[in-house]
Amino acid sequence: MHTENHFSLRVLVAAAKVKDSIDLKFSLVTGTAPPTGNVHTSADIEWKSVEEFAQELKVNRKDLQRAFKYCNDKGINEYLACRKMEAACMLLAYGEKTIKEIAIDLDYTQNHFSFFFKKRKGLTPLEWQKKNGNGNNDLKS
């Protein structure tokens, strides 16, 4: 049985705004944001939950989640986790921040970040950094 997905324009726009917000936070945390007239810092934009996005955008949470998944082939939480993991790997590879600083940038405690990272990568952040870092022998934990 084939079920069509019907979303209001408002929910589709909200889903696009969620993706843009996550991607902006990613680029600010990793330092990959292109220069624009908008002056944002990483602290200006938060990593938000699905519920926070839905409330802010004044749309139904379930509709937002369904529309986001329809448009991006991943749910909001999975997309967010993937972007945080990409950011973590970039920051660890640069070797310029401590693991604690990276955890804070990604809105985790250090212990939760280490658990999240090891679950997804099979290595602790420090192990991954030693294996994949920029050759910095002065790695910090």
Side-chain angles (χ1 to χ4, degrees):
M1 178 176 177
H2 179 61
T3 305
E4 292 267 339
N5 284 305
H6 296 283
F7 305 104
S8 70
L9 181 58
R10 183 178 177 166
V11 171
L12 290 171
V13 168
K17 286 181 178 181
V18 169
K19 184 177 184 302
D20 288 347
S21 178
I22 293 169
D23 290 343
L24 176 59
K25 181 65 176 181
F26 169 86
S27 65
L28 291 170
V29 166
T30 60
T32 59
T36 66
N38 296 335
V39 180
H40 290 293
T41 65
S42 179
D44 294 336
I45 311 286
E46 298 175 19
W47 297 109
K48 296 179 184 168
S49 69
V50 175
E51 190 61 43
E52 289 170 318
F53 279 123
Q55 287 176 356
E56 178 182 302
L57 299 168
K58 296 176 178 37
V59 294
N60 178 281
R61 179 182 53 82
K62 287 185 180 185
D63 289 344
L64 178 60
Q65 289 175 299
R66 285 182 33 249
F68 190 95
K69 187 167 187 169
Y70 178 78
C71 294
N72 299 289
D73 295 325
K74 290 181 183 176
I76 296 170
N77 289 330
E78 181 60 22
Y79 185 78
L80 180 60
C82 288
R83 292 302 272 173
K84 283 184 172 186
M85 183 55 57
E86 289 175 59
C89 290
M90 287 178 71
L91 294 169
L92 287 166
Y94 295 150
E96 296 173 3
K97 291 188 172 192
T98 66
I99 292 172
K100 183 177 182 178
E101 290 169 329
I102 294 169
I104 290 168
D105 284 349
L106 299 177
D107 201 27
Y108 292 115
T109 64
Q110 187 172 347
N111 287 341
H112 190 240
F113 171 65
S114 293
F115 174 80
F116 162 79
F117 194 92
K118 186 166 185 173
K119 182 176 178 184
R120 289 191 164 252
K121 291 292 185 181
L123 299 168
T124 68
L126 187 58
E127 291 168 341
W128 190 93
Q129 190 178 46
K130 285 179 179 177
K131 186 175 181 182
N132 299 286
N134 64 4
N136 183 354
N137 292 329
D138 186 25
L139 299 176
K140 304 167 194 150
S141 58

